[in-house]
Amino acid sequence: MVVVTVPRIKHRFVEIDGVRVFYRETGPQHAPALLLLHGFPSASHQFRRLMDALGGRYRLIAPDYPGFGHTEAPADFEYSFERLADIVEGFIDAVRLSRFVLYAFDFGGPVGLRLATRRPELICGLIVQNSNAYDEGLSDLARAMTANTPTVPGGADSVRQILELPVTRGQYEGGTADPELIAPDGWTMDQHFLDLPGRKEAQVELGLDYHTNLALYPVWQQWLRENQPPTLVLWGRNDAFFPEAGAHAYLRDLPDAAVHIFDTGHFALEEKLSEIAPLISDFVDSLDQE
């Protein structure tokens, strides 16, 4: 009989500072650990296939941020990237992650790099997937969106325009080489969560706060230069928000980083998992997590 190993994924909650954080976890407790930080407008479900692919070898943990997925935040929660980082930092301590590879996708970059600058001793490696930290990695569309702040007239309305199904779906299918490889489940689930009571208001607050990430680019770049974390950069070149130049920009501060560009869009794992998963495995195996 052929032996087929399928990871068992646990679905759990833990309370952090009044927030009931939902997370997925799989893999041996003492295996190399990866913290998977999701992007907008998604949640930890975006990593389900990656967890199936690699969960037999590594400890993979993927939380939902406040305002996303199954995580439950109090009505008075103030949505900002600093607060998301606060909750994820508390989450890391609660699940006893003492050393891990940080997988930063999209919003996972601003959240994860805040964590890295606060707690550099936790990070043994960095995987960047379409998550920008350089000015040249911003498209005109991204610049227009990040220009929205609480004081910009019409800024909130501009953010609300990207919270509807055509835009959500477009982030998955846009730029792909073969749209038939993109399961509709991702954008369907994302829109379900966006349409829950209070969720669009939360996303508007985060959208109007995004400019604070750009202000921190020099801080994050300095951290990369000074700490030189082993880094794997994975990038869908047809990303409407974060163009390919953002991937190569990491080499300015991390000359030893491995950069891989794929002919796909923003959600590169959706179409290119079979190519990306082996790269992640080889990268993690090369690290010293002690």
Side-chain angles (χ1 to χ4, degrees):
M1 178 182 294
V2 175
V3 177
V4 178
T5 302
V6 179
R8 298 177 64 193
I9 299 176
K10 299 289 185 70
H11 306 86
R12 296 169 165 152
F13 287 91
V14 62
E15 185 154 326
I16 309 296
D17 195 18
V19 177
R20 191 167 182 251
V21 176
F22 171 84
Y23 67 103
R24 304 165 197 265
E25 180 175 2
T26 189
Q29 284 293 305
H30 299 294
L34 290 86
L35 177 67
L36 308 177
L37 295 184
H38 67 79
F40 167 85
S42 199
S44 61
H45 61 257
Q46 75 166 82
F47 293 116
R48 288 177 300 168
R49 293 185 65 216
L50 182 65
M51 296 178 89
D52 283 338
L54 299 181
R57 300 191 60 185
Y58 312 111
R59 184 185 180 198
L60 305 176
I61 301 182
D64 292 351
Y65 313 136
F68 296 79
H70 297 286
T71 287
E72 302 167 7
D76 61 351
F77 187 85
E78 296 183 6
Y79 289 91
S80 69
F81 283 89
E82 284 292 327
R83 287 296 289 136
L84 296 190
D86 291 343
I87 298 301
V88 175
E89 183 176 12
F91 170 80
I92 289 168
D93 291 335
V95 300
R96 299 180 181 179
L97 270 180
S98 60
R99 190 85 165 140
F100 57 85
V101 176
L102 173 65
Y103 187 113
F105 167 67
D106 188 50
F107 273 22
V111 174
L113 288 172
R114 279 176 168 83
L115 294 175
T117 55
R118 295 178 188 181
R119 308 273 294 275
E121 73 282 359
L122 298 177
I123 312 299
C124 69
L126 181 62
I127 300 174
V128 177
Q129 194 246 296
N130 288 74
S131 185
N132 191 50
Y134 294 86
D135 185 70
E136 56 263 56
L138 296 169
S139 68
D140 290 342
L141 177 60
R143 293 180 193 281
M145 290 306 302
T146 58
N148 292 313
T149 71
T151 61
V152 171
D157 290 337
S158 294
V159 176
R160 287 191 185 94
Q161 291 177 8
I162 67 170
L163 304 178
E164 303 300 329
L165 180 59
V167 180
T168 303
R169 179 173 180 171
Q171 290 189 66
Y172 279 81
E173 294 184 324
T176 59
D178 185 356
E180 290 186 355
L181 293 175
I182 311 302
D185 308 342
W187 74 73
T188 302
M189 293 178 70
D190 288 353
Q191 195 62 46
H192 162 75
F193 289 122
L194 281 173
D195 291 340
L196 292 178
R199 288 297 180 86
K200 288 183 178 175
E201 289 75 12
Q203 296 303 327
V204 168
E205 289 186 44
L206 289 171
L208 297 179
D209 188 61
Y210 198 93
H211 67 97
T212 65
N213 299 325
L214 276 63
L216 287 173
Y217 281 1
V219 175
W220 298 339
Q221 292 163 14
Q222 181 179 356
W223 182 86
L224 294 171
R225 283 195 303 274
E226 292 179 351
N227 288 270
Q228 292 295 307
T231 301
L232 173 65
V233 179
L234 309 166
W235 211 275
R237 63 159 45 98
N238 305 319
D239 190 328
F241 287 90
F242 302 139
E244 181 180 341
H248 300 293
Y250 282 91
L251 293 171
R252 188 161 65 239
D253 295 311
L254 298 169
D256 294 329
V259 178
H260 297 267
I261 308 299
F262 302 90
D263 186 22
T264 190
H266 186 64
F267 284 91
L269 286 177
E270 296 292 312
E271 185 177 16
K272 300 297 184 178
L273 178 66
S274 61
E275 298 173 44
I276 290 174
L279 293 172
I280 294 174
S281 183
D282 288 345
F283 175 71
V284 175
D285 287 348
S286 72
L287 300 178
D288 179 7
Q289 290 207 352
E290 296 299 328

